[in-house]
Amino acid sequence: MFNTRLPLLSGLVLFILALPGLAPAADERELPGQNADPDAIYPPGERNPQSGAPAEWPKITKDQKLFGFALIDRLEYGDPEGTNNYLWDAQGWLGGDTNKFWWKTEGEGPTHGGGPEDTEFQALYNRMISPFFGAQAGIRYDTNPGADRAFGVLGIQGLAPYWFESDTAFFVSEDGDVSFRGEFEYELPLTQRLILQPRLELNASANDVPEYGLGQGLNDTEMGLRLRYEIRREFAPYIGVRYEALYGETEDIAERAGEATSSTNFVIGVRAWY
């Protein structure tokens, strides 16, 4: 009997308190700070009517200060079957919160018997289109063992859901050849300083470009797994493995030229940023 009546009595009390005239009016309630002295809250002197800050403080101007960042994502030595090689992959930017100048460079070559191969430079304008992604447009210039080439670039770079770093771009060469590249990385912290980083890169072409060893379709993929130790956040040596493979007509072109169509590299390198 008692358990049945208790909820009824509680509901009746709340109903009575909610009746007009019994609950205190909104204008009669005292809010925190309602009767505080303004002189005790605001500093003395004139104030900016727009921000409320002291008049002598500098005005707030958004997106005017320049910041810079540079990252050597990969600087490594590889040991595949055959000629040992080196590789670099770096990028950085200069700008504000919304607009940035972005640069990128990468390339590789044998440690003995020749200079760099497939050296690439990019100069891009980056415009933030969301808190985590920027749209990029600009130019790319390649220096190869053959003739050099220039490209127009249109891409998107940023941090995808689940913390995947994504860098995708379409390239249009000076001859009208269209290609695509996608790079994806993920960082898996094992400890505060020990980081495991899987990486995937793929390249595809919409045209046959046999003079550069490229066929239509998927050209190649590069898969890597690197384990780095951050001595400092800005400096981290690593070890890992990198596997590269060619596909389709690109693979056939390489076979006819007597070149390897796949390779496995055990790598050692360093990652640094400033």
Side-chain angles (χ1 to χ4, degrees):
M1 180 71 69
F2 177 77
N3 293 337
T4 304
R5 291 178 178 178
L6 184 58
L8 295 176
L9 292 175
S10 301
L12 181 60
V13 171
L14 294 175
F15 174 75
I16 293 174
L17 291 177
L19 292 176
L22 294 180
D27 55 357
E28 296 177 359
R29 301 184 194 137
E30 183 174 340
L31 301 176
Q34 182 177 4
N35 298 320
D37 184 5
D39 294 334
I41 300 175
Y42 298 101
E46 296 183 2
R47 294 189 294 273
N48 187 318
Q50 297 178 345
S51 64
E56 64 271 15
W57 286 15
K59 293 183 179 179
I60 298 175
T61 304
K62 295 182 179 180
D63 201 29
Q64 292 296 318
K65 186 173 179 58
L66 292 178
F67 298 92
F69 176 76
L71 167 67
I72 303 175
D73 193 26
R74 294 181 295 160
L75 180 59
E76 64 189 35
Y77 164 82
D79 184 18
E81 300 175 359
T83 305
N84 296 343
N85 59 28
Y86 60 88
L87 177 150
W88 77 87
D89 182 2
Q91 60 181 292
W93 54 261
L94 177 67
D97 295 333
T98 305
N99 303 297
K100 295 179 177 68
F101 165 74
W102 207 291
W103 59 267
K104 302 178 183 180
T105 178
E106 62 180 82
E108 60 182 321
T111 54
H112 302 287
E117 300 175 355
D118 302 322
T119 304
E120 175 185 308
F121 304 93
Q122 293 188 42
L124 307 167
Y125 165 69
N126 183 96
R127 172 81 177 185
M128 297 305 296
I129 57 176
S130 77
F132 296 102
F133 276 95
Q136 299 177 340
I139 58 173
R140 164 187 158 190
Y141 189 77
D142 289 5
T143 58
N144 305 281
D148 296 349
R149 287 203 298 174
F151 300 79
V153 183
L154 184 62
I156 295 178
Q157 182 172 352
L159 191 62
Y162 301 101
W163 303 97
F164 282 91
E165 296 182 26
S166 170
D167 185 358
T168 58
F170 285 94
F171 306 99
V172 181
S173 75
E174 56 194 47
D175 299 320
D177 302 318
V178 179
S179 57
F180 170 81
R181 176 188 299 159
E183 299 180 17
F184 309 94
E185 295 180 352
Y186 183 77
E187 296 189 352
L188 180 63
L190 303 180
T191 69
Q192 289 292 326
R193 295 183 180 272
L194 197 61
I195 312 296
L196 185 64
Q197 184 184 52
R199 183 179 187 275
L200 170 65
E201 176 181 333
L202 59 90
N203 291 275
S205 176
N207 311 92
D208 288 318
V209 195
E211 59 270 29
Y212 290 95
L214 299 176
Q216 187 178 21
L218 180 63
N219 301 139
D220 61 80
T221 60
E222 177 189 307
M223 292 174 282
L225 186 65
R226 294 167 177 82
L227 180 66
R228 72 174 186 264
Y229 182 79
E230 295 184 339
I231 299 174
R232 299 180 58 186
R233 296 302 181 195
E234 301 90 345
F235 183 82
Y238 63 81
I239 59 173
V241 61
R242 182 176 80 236
Y243 175 75
E244 301 173 78
L246 305 179
Y247 303 95
E249 182 62 25
T250 303
E251 182 181 10
D252 296 339
I253 294 174
E255 288 179 344
R256 289 195 292 267
E259 300 175 356
T261 58
S262 65
S263 65
T264 301
N265 295 257
F266 294 97
V267 301
I268 181 171
V270 64
R271 183 181 191 266
W273 59 268
Y274 173 77

